[in-house]
Amino acid sequence: MMAGGAADVGDGGKAERFKALALPHLDEIYTLARYLLRNASDADDAVQECYLRAFRHFDTFRGGPIKPWLFAILRNVCHASYAGGARLVFTADDVDAGAAQAIPIWREDVDTPEQAMLRRHDSDTMRRLIGELPAEFREVIVLREINDLSYRDIATVIEAPIGTVMSRLARARGMLRDAWIAAEGRSG
Amino acid sequence: MNCDEAGILLHALIDGELDAGHARELEMHIAGCAGCAAQLREFQELRKSMKPASLRYTAPVALRGRIEGKLSARGAGASRRSVVKGFAFGAAASAIAASGVLVMVMRTDDDRRALGEVVSAHLRSLQAQHLIDVESTDQHTVKPWFNGRLDVAPPVADLTAQGFTLLGGRLDYVDAKPVAAIVYRRRVHIINLFCAPAPGAANRAAVMQSLQGFNVRRWRDNGLNLWAVSDISPDELMEFGEKFEAALKQ
């Protein structure tokens, strides 16, 4: 009886198609959200909003791999949150990095070499170092190293030319290498 | 090729993104440049230190459930703006719903949208750890809590003796409009009773509907649209609604 009502009739199929395509990437989307927002509950909210937004705009999805499309939406959601109140920018990660952040890893001297070695290879350290990169470098590192996107896909996600992707990735890795060496040097 | 160019292209080499021509040029440069060779080694080392599997996060189960729930509710026809339309539709529906008689109405799009909205709100309440704002088994605590929070005073009945335990109340949003949610428990099942104002609209007899495994008993009484949503059986939910209506008339 209301205009537009009939358009919803086929939505069951649409939802199923969307779920089959998009939900398998949930962990990857969530991973990017965690790195971008550095906070578990903000990441939760952003990922949920990303999926609902993606579903609303599913009609505009032109096929091909859905991952870069979802990443781009998530990125927009996260940026909207930054702009919306700066609440999300520098909140400390409240779940698994909390303890690690309280104790800088270069607070040395007390560890045995064995402990230092273990810590050096601790993925928490790497997570934290990545988390400390400036946002535009952090996102290319995560998309490349963790989410395994090609340069072309990264360019799509961050809406920048491939040349920008390359130079940012080079700088990002340079910063990460320096931070890593600093952490190792101080702990070794 | 100079060191600046090499410094960027060596990353493309590591990532397997470099075409054969550039790769060859880069290798020639590196063969004659200790600085760039060292850079390449360092970044290859860094790469080895980054084990993607250990750097990933896993989405919480609750988040996955919440997203699936929302997509299911929406996919089944829920959309925004629906409850207002549901209200608008009410007058027409009351014409076909004979007073006091339970009818299984033909579902219109608007009906289905309102249904989707309340089922979605019900799911949300179960999954977001936000079931209750005011926790009380006392109807005289729950009812006044809504004062000043809503334009209407929702009916709250104590049905403990009838087997439905009052847990409390919650302010919820359906279609971005505040509604009262009165929360009951039947054994391990939660019943959300949503109340939204429908000023001036005629009373409407109860209708049972179901969506995504949830049952919804919907009726209108005394200027309020009411939806009881739960996963208990339609019979039990009907009983709940009847007991609730009876309690209010006492």
Side-chain angles (χ1 to χ4, degrees), chain A residues 8-175:
Chain A
D8 286 339
V9 169
D11 268 3
K14 176 185 162 187
E16 289 313 310
R17 261 187 310 128
F18 177 76
K19 281 201 266 189
L21 271 178
L23 279 178
H25 301 296
L26 183 60
D27 285 343
E28 290 170 280
I29 301 293
Y30 181 72
T31 294
L32 180 61
R34 283 296 295 265
Y35 281 103
L36 289 186
L37 300 175
R38 301 189 280 203
N39 172 295
S41 55
D42 288 342
D44 262 38
D45 291 349
V47 170
Q48 181 174 323
E49 175 62 22
C50 165
Y51 270 83
L52 296 184
R53 213 182 270 194
F55 180 59
R56 277 204 296 279
H57 298 289
F58 191 39
D59 298 331
T60 65
F61 174 60
R62 292 276 165 257
I66 197 169
K67 229 163 79 169
W69 186 70
L70 288 171
F71 280 130
I73 293 173
L74 177 77
R75 189 172 171 273
N76 286 337
V77 169
C78 293
H79 281 224
S81 306
Y82 290 121
R87 181 173 70 92
L88 304 174
V89 182
F90 290 115
T91 46
D93 200 307
D94 49 327
V95 179
D96 38 12
Q101 280 183 338
I103 307 164
I105 57 152
W106 48 84
R107 165 218 58 115
E108 279 347 291
D109 313 328
V110 288
D111 287 332
T112 67
E114 286 80 6
Q115 285 170 326
M117 174 82 99
L118 283 175
R119 234 163 0 95
R120 241 192 323 245
H121 295 287
D122 193 345
S123 56
D124 284 350
T125 302
M126 183 58 89
R127 285 188 189 194
R128 194 171 53 76
L129 295 179
I130 294 171
E132 286 169 357
L133 293 173
E136 69 264 40
F137 300 109
R138 203 187 320 144
E139 66 184 4
V140 293
I141 280 285
V142 174
L143 289 170
R144 175 65 217 128
E145 303 286 10
I146 304 177
N147 289 317
D148 200 30
L149 255 57
S150 68
Y151 285 6
R152 183 172 300 281
D153 284 346
I154 297 172
T156 305
V157 173
I158 69 170
E159 297 174 89
I162 288 187
T164 305
V165 173
M166 291 174 73
S167 58
R168 257 185 219 174
L169 196 54
R171 274 200 66 190
R173 281 192 179 136
M175 291 175 184

